[in-house]
Amino acid sequence: MRSNMFGFLCCMWVMRKINEPYLDRMVIKGRITQEEEDMILATPQLPEK
């Protein structure tokens, strides 16, 4: 089961509002799992403006 935090962070990742070090901190704090971080990182981001 995916947490609400996973969905939120995934959306933030797609919009380029957060970066990989931020996601690493979320794993360390226990907000998401390493597997969830890996899925977020595999999700394409919007092109840079």
Side-chain angles (χ1 to χ4, degrees):
M1 184 172 113
R2 302 281 172 242
S3 65
N4 288 335
M5 185 59 79
F6 169 79
F8 173 74
L9 292 174
C10 192
C11 288
M12 295 296 284
W13 170 259
V14 169
M15 295 184 298
R16 294 184 177 271
K17 301 292 184 185
I18 59 175
N19 55 20
E20 189 171 348
Y22 184 86
L23 289 171
D24 290 338
R25 289 194 306 274
M26 293 298 102
V27 171
I28 291 167
K29 290 182 176 189
R31 307 268 167 79
I32 59 172
T33 65
Q34 183 63 53
E35 179 183 328
E36 289 173 327
E37 180 188 12
D38 294 342
M39 287 191 292
I40 292 170
L41 293 174
T43 304
Q45 293 179 299
L46 293 174
E48 290 188 54
K49 290 183 179 183

